[in-house]
Amino acid sequence: MGRASRWAAPALSVLLLLLFLGVWHAATLPTAGQQVVDAEYAKLVGAAAATGQKTAFPSPADLGAKLWQHLKEPFYDRGPNDKGVGVQLAYSLARVLAGYFLAALVAVPVGFLIGMSPTVYRALDPFIQVLKPISPLAWMPLALFTLKDSSISAVFVIFICSLWPMLINTAFGVASVRREWLNVAKTLEVGPVRKAFRVILPAAAPTIMTGMRISIGIAWLVIVAAEMLVGGTGIGYFVWNEWNNLSITNILAAILAIGLVGMVLDQMLARLTKLVTFPE
Amino acid sequence: MSDPLIRVEGLAKRFAGRDGAHATVFENIHFSIEPGEFVCLIGHSGCGKTTILNILAGLEPATDGYVFVGGREISGPSLDRAVIFQSHALMPWLTVMGNVGFAVSSRWRDWDRARVRAHCQKYIDLVTLAGAENKRPAELSGGMKQRVGIARALAIQPKMLLMDEPFSALDALTRGMLQEEALRICAETSQTVFMITHDVDEAILLADRIILMTNAPNAKIAEIVVNTLPRNRNRHDMHRHPHYYRIRNHLIEFLVDRSRAFDEESAASGYDPRHPPLVRPGLAGDSPAPEHSIPARPPTAAKPLVAVVK
């Protein structure tokens, strides 16, 4: 039973993948040459398009070939509109990490302050409540106008979207540190700095890390959209550029890459969260 | 008699009610604790026992009254008064050594790591936890956790130990073992202890004096029972001593009956909250009535006593 259940889930996963690829393959098979449009129109657009023999949508094999091509040479750079997927992903990652760490630098100390002081919490709460639901992309024009640099604007958008989950979780984690631990610190006459680092920080760390994990997920979602807007470099720009090239294969390859990188980022944060989590 | 280590004068706690009236939990609390003495405070839940302990610890302000430690009024928490919490209050991200070490390095900030470790080890050994130094609280049983709490409190060598129902969350067997260890440790270190409990047997086993509190609202100290059992008592044959059931019955009778209707009783007997009567029920059969005589019980209340005497 134990061994069977251990292999059942991966086997089912593989089976589902094969089923999906099979359906996809069948759906993209070239159909028999049947004229579906007017003969005059067929002359105009070419036989292939007119008969629907070959759609622009790639088959799994096309995508596999493309992926192999990208994997063989991920970091080539042949001018502004022809860079390897690896290079584009590196641009996106750099922007995400820059914005994310800037946000952490602001959110964790401010969150600490909010969590420690109910007065500060009540004072800042209306601002947070209004600013939090704003789509990060809505800041883009403002950022472009004030910062006058598209790449920095993208970093700013990442900053603003990863700020809120970290800020709110830090404040919540700090505010809900168990009273008895604070009482222990009090009876031991522990100073405020030692209390912050030795009691409150470890106690709130799992909640803070959860906020950071939510933030990295949101940041990775937003960077694609932001780069579609600002253009130039990055995986978001790559997707948009390939749309303009009508290369669905490249778009699919990019989508897969975005998913994989997002998963790796999330798993890294999950590992870190596990490190600071303590069993009760 | 030497100067008391702790003197409590006119302590009161009131909460502002919704209509502006003050709800008094307790008031006019006067008592003192001598160095090396083990004092238990016993009373029903809600009478403010834990609040009194928190005030002594400096964790909560009193509405009225003063607490003096060694002749000086307290102004907040202090390393002189270690607290053992009911819920052990260990930090789950630290090991046993880390938890005790946090307290020790808070007490002696200039000690190096090796010295802190050596000092912690002494107290971990004292509570017989040697071998579990690197375990985290989640890996320990309830009894072991509370031992760590005791080691943490003792390791800072406080003048005074405050215990808030420290054994009430444990199962009966573990509780018995820990009570005996507490007795042994307090004898070894001649530690002054103030303990809250609602367990009558625990109070008789551990305490030199037992403070009886009436029910809230307006709770007060009804009387202070002197434990006349010899100090080398133990859990196993304590009940064979002739004083044991007299004290026990006296305490239970108080909790079941008198704690509720103490106001009527005290009005008749010239009760003075500054000097609550000191009684020795253990000697009741051997000597004339103590300073405070117990009024006749109403016939309706005879029922619970049957269950009590067994």
Side-chain angles (χ1 to χ4, degrees):
Chain A
M1 175 63 206
R3 193 180 295 173
S5 64
R6 197 165 133 207
W7 292 109
L12 201 62
S13 293
V14 171
L15 204 73
L16 280 171
L17 180 67
L18 290 176
L19 190 73
F20 171 71
L21 290 176
V23 170
W24 179 6
H25 179 75
T28 50
L29 277 177
T31 46
Q34 218 177 32
Q35 289 267 343
V36 290
V37 290
D38 190 270
E40 292 292 314
Y41 183 65
K43 271 182 200 155
L44 199 67
V45 296
T51 55
Q53 267 176 359
K54 186 84 180 115
T55 68
F57 203 88
S59 68
D62 296 335
L63 179 63
K66 195 55 130 186
L67 281 176
W68 179 241
Q69 191 191 320
H70 282 307
L71 277 175
K72 262 198 314 199
E73 202 184 4
F75 296 111
Y76 70 87
D77 186 351
R78 300 185 201 107
N81 276 342
D82 195 7
K83 290 184 182 19
V85 173
V87 175
Q88 305 286 29
L89 282 171
Y91 274 113
S92 299
L93 268 175
R95 285 190 188 120
V96 162
L97 293 181
Y100 179 76
F101 281 114
L102 280 174
L105 228 56
V106 174
V108 175
V110 175
F112 233 83
L113 209 67
I114 296 174
M116 299 265 267
S117 155
T119 315
V120 178
Y121 172 78
R122 279 200 296 274
L124 290 183
D125 191 50
F127 296 104
I128 295 173
Q129 293 306 327
V130 170
L131 293 174
K132 188 181 62 164
I134 297 171
S135 163
L137 294 172
W139 294 102
M140 184 64 92
L142 211 61
L144 286 170
F145 179 75
T146 47
L147 300 171
K148 297 183 174 64
D149 182 294
S150 61
S151 195
I152 296 177
S153 296
V155 171
F156 173 78
V157 166
I158 296 306
F159 166 82
I160 206 89
C161 77
S162 34
L163 188 69
W164 310 115
M166 283 197 255
L167 186 69
I168 289 163
N169 268 51
T170 306
F172 177 74
V174 169
S176 48
V177 171
R178 291 247 287 275
R179 176 123 223 109
E180 51 185 55
W181 297 332
L182 297 176
N183 278 346
V184 169
K186 261 195 202 166
T187 57
L188 293 173
E189 295 186 59
V190 174
V193 177
R194 189 172 151 89
K195 187 173 81 177
F197 282 99
R198 294 289 307 271
V199 181
I200 297 174
L201 191 63
T207 322
I208 297 175
M209 285 307 299
T210 306
M212 296 186 88
R213 191 173 167 193
I214 297 169
S215 279
I216 198 81
I218 294 178
W220 191 242
L221 288 180
V222 167
I223 193 64
V224 175
E227 284 170 346
M228 282 181 177
L229 280 177
V230 296
T233 48
I235 194 71
Y237 168 73
F238 178 81
V239 170
W240 200 250
N241 197 33
E242 293 309 317
W243 166 237
N244 288 334
N245 294 343
L246 255 183
S247 170
I248 308 288
T249 324
N250 266 334
I251 293 174
L252 285 173
I255 286 174
L256 194 62
I258 292 168
L260 288 173
V261 172
M263 186 185 78
V264 169
L265 287 175
D266 186 62
Q267 285 306 308
M268 274 162 55
L269 266 293
R271 285 276 170 84
L272 282 176
T273 309
K274 219 172 166 187
L275 271 183
V276 297
T277 303
F278 44 84
E280 285 277 346
Chain B
M1 193 189 269
S2 59
D3 204 35
L5 180 62
I6 291 233
R7 198 150 46 88
V8 174
E9 283 185 6
L11 216 58
K13 184 82 182 178
R14 300 186 187 89
F15 290 103
R18 215 171 289 168
D19 49 357
H22 287 279
T24 303
V25 185
F26 55 80
E27 59 185 358
N28 253 326
I29 302 290
H30 296 261
F31 66 91
S32 58
I33 301 174
E34 303 296 326
E37 203 180 15
F38 198 125
V39 173
C40 269
L41 179 67
I42 202 164
H44 283 286
S45 2
C47 74
K49 298 188 299 267
T50 299
T51 312
I52 291 181
L53 185 125
N54 283 346
I55 293 169
L56 291 191
L59 293 171
E60 223 177 293
T63 317
D64 255 326
Y66 311 93
V67 177
F68 300 92
V69 175
R72 289 170 66 183
E73 195 187 347
I74 63 163
S75 57
S78 156
L79 285 156
D80 287 343
R81 282 162 276 132
V83 185
I84 296 177
F85 297 88
Q86 182 178 5
S87 55
H88 62 74
L90 298 179
M91 306 197 184
W93 57 89
L94 295 175
T95 60
V96 169
M97 181 61 87
N99 269 290
V100 182
F102 179 68
V104 170
S105 55
S106 301
R107 175 82 167 87
W108 295 281
R109 276 159 219 195
D110 49 341
W111 281 16
D112 58 48
R113 197 175 277 250
R115 194 160 176 204
V116 169
R117 276 191 83 85
H119 186 84
C120 293
Q121 192 64 53
K122 213 165 74 192
Y123 285 90
I124 292 171
D125 292 347
L126 183 70
V127 296
T128 62
L129 272 182
E133 291 88 350
N134 295 319
K135 288 200 168 130
R136 282 173 202 278
E139 302 168 71
L140 303 177
S141 67
M144 288 166 94
K145 280 183 207 165
Q146 198 50 279
R147 278 168 210 252
V148 181
I150 294 170
R152 178 174 64 183
L154 289 171
I156 60 171
Q157 300 180 335
K159 283 187 189 152
M160 169 100 214
L161 209 55
L162 302 168
M163 303 207 242
D164 185 5
E165 302 190 20
F167 310 127
S168 64
L170 305 173
D171 63 277
L173 281 172
T174 317
R175 190 187 313 147
M177 270 165 58
L178 271 181
Q179 283 166 351
E180 248 169 31
E181 268 185 50
L183 203 61
R184 170 180 65 83
I185 290 167
C186 290
E188 273 175 30
T189 56
S190 57
Q191 185 73 54
T192 312
V193 186
F194 177 72
M195 182 165 115
I196 306 282
T197 183
H198 53 231
D199 181 338
V200 168
D201 283 319
E202 183 171 277
I204 300 173
L205 177 66
L206 295 173
D208 301 317
R209 283 191 298 143
I210 302 161
I211 300 175
L212 303 184
M213 256 185 108
T214 64
N215 291 2
N218 306 321
K220 50 179 75 72
I221 294 177
E223 55 189 32
I224 297 174
V225 173
V226 178
N227 190 352
T228 44
L229 287 173
R231 240 200 146 172
N232 63 355
R233 56 193 171 260
N234 67 61
R235 193 158 51 98
H236 303 292
D237 55 13
M238 168 172 85
H239 61 276
R240 295 208 187 90
H241 196 279
H243 292 182
Y244 171 73
Y245 275 111
R246 293 181 201 152
I247 299 173
R248 190 172 197 273
N249 288 352
H250 183 87
L251 295 181
I252 290 188
E253 195 183 325
F254 175 82
L255 287 178
V256 173
D257 227 19
R258 291 171 57 214
S259 62
R260 229 180 321 123
F262 185 74
D263 281 343
E264 299 154 33
E265 183 190 322
S266 63
S269 64
Y271 166 82
D272 174 13
R274 287 174 176 279
H275 303 285
L278 203 63
V279 297
R280 293 180 173 80
L283 304 173
D286 314 332
S287 60
E291 291 104 290
H292 181 84
S293 59
I294 304 158
R297 297 159 49 77
T300 46
K303 187 168 32 110
L305 199 64
V306 179
V308 163
V309 178
K310 287 175 201 154

